[in-house]
Amino acid sequence: ARMALDKGAQAVIFDVSDDADAAAELREADSLPRPVVMVESDDAEELMALVNKNEEAVVRIEIMPHYDMGIVLTIVLAVLTIVLIFALRYKCRSSRTWDSVHQQTRQAISRLETKTYNSQGCSGPHHQRAPWGSASSSNSSPVCAICLEEFQDGQHLRIISCAHEFHKDCVDPWLLQHRTCPLCMHNIM
């Protein structure tokens, strides 16, 4: 390219298809006084065929920007970092919202009344009527409507504000997930 320019060429068209290093060397050669156009493969063969036939040709040269891969990689990483930050902020925000609802639900459950079941405490006229939360008839012991087991002396019961009673261990997981009475769907919140 330098020799052709030294002999008076106005520009040089250089085929770089056979030499991969030639393109890099020509890009680095800032001291060339005239334009050097690099071509490859089919474009180079078509252009050489015209030159060999001594035909006149009009060639449109498009300057394609040469991007440094370091700059492109930096931009891509910056964009991905920004997207990741926004995704994490969104996930944390929705997680905080869920944590807040979960915490409020736990507080609502802790405010509900509890009692220790005592079958002897059900004497007299109250023994004829089973609690609302029971699935039993008036002649049998009350049962938990979730596990369908009879209440036993000493078991802890949770009394929901709608007056339904359940084993504490049965109803608490339900309330934590659904926030409503399993029988009447009364909202504990």
Side-chain angles (χ1 to χ4, degrees), residues 7-188:
K7 291 187 179 192
Q10 294 299 311
V12 176
I13 298 175
F14 203 93
D15 180 6
V16 293
S17 18
D18 295 335
D19 188 359
D21 295 332
E25 289 175 23
L26 286 170
R27 281 191 194 100
E28 292 174 6
D30 293 333
S31 62
L32 295 174
R34 305 236 190 269
V36 176
V37 178
M38 294 177 272
V39 292
E40 292 184 78
S41 322
D42 296 336
D43 294 333
E45 289 176 22
E46 187 178 342
L47 197 55
M48 284 309 296
L50 292 172
V51 169
N52 288 337
K53 291 180 186 173
N54 240 357
E55 291 184 14
E56 192 172 309
V58 176
V59 178
R60 189 177 87 201
I61 299 173
E62 293 179 9
I63 299 175
M64 299 189 53
H66 172 69
Y67 297 109
D68 183 15
M69 285 308 292
I71 293 171
V72 172
L73 187 58
T74 302
I75 292 170
V76 168
L77 286 175
V79 168
L80 286 176
T81 302
I82 291 169
V83 168
L84 183 62
I85 288 170
F86 279 108
L88 287 174
R89 285 182 69 192
Y90 177 76
K91 183 168 174 46
C92 288
R93 184 178 300 138
S94 64
S95 176
R96 265 186 264 139
T97 302
W98 185 85
D99 286 345
S100 174
V101 170
H102 191 72
Q103 186 177 6
Q104 290 173 3
T105 304
R106 283 189 179 278
Q107 289 172 351
I109 292 171
S110 69
R111 287 191 300 264
L112 294 175
E113 185 182 346
T114 59
K115 75 175 185 180
T116 302
Y117 181 75
N118 181 358
S119 61
Q120 302 306 323
C122 292
S123 59
H126 296 294
H127 188 62
Q128 298 301 319
R129 196 182 78 125
W132 277 45
S134 71
S136 62
S137 67
S138 61
N139 297 335
S140 63
S141 298
V143 298
C144 173
I146 296 175
C147 68
L148 302 179
E149 292 182 10
E150 291 184 356
F151 294 141
Q152 302 293 322
D153 286 344
Q155 288 181 325
H156 298 290
L157 305 182
R158 172 85 62 199
I159 305 168
I160 300 177
S161 46
C162 58
H164 289 128
E165 297 177 354
F166 305 92
H167 288 125
K168 184 177 182 295
D169 293 338
C170 294
V171 78
D172 283 3
W174 169 273
L175 292 174
L176 194 57
Q177 186 174 4
H178 300 281
R179 296 181 295 281
T180 60
C181 172
L183 288 177
C184 68
M185 305 311 260
H186 172 77
N187 190 337
I188 66 165

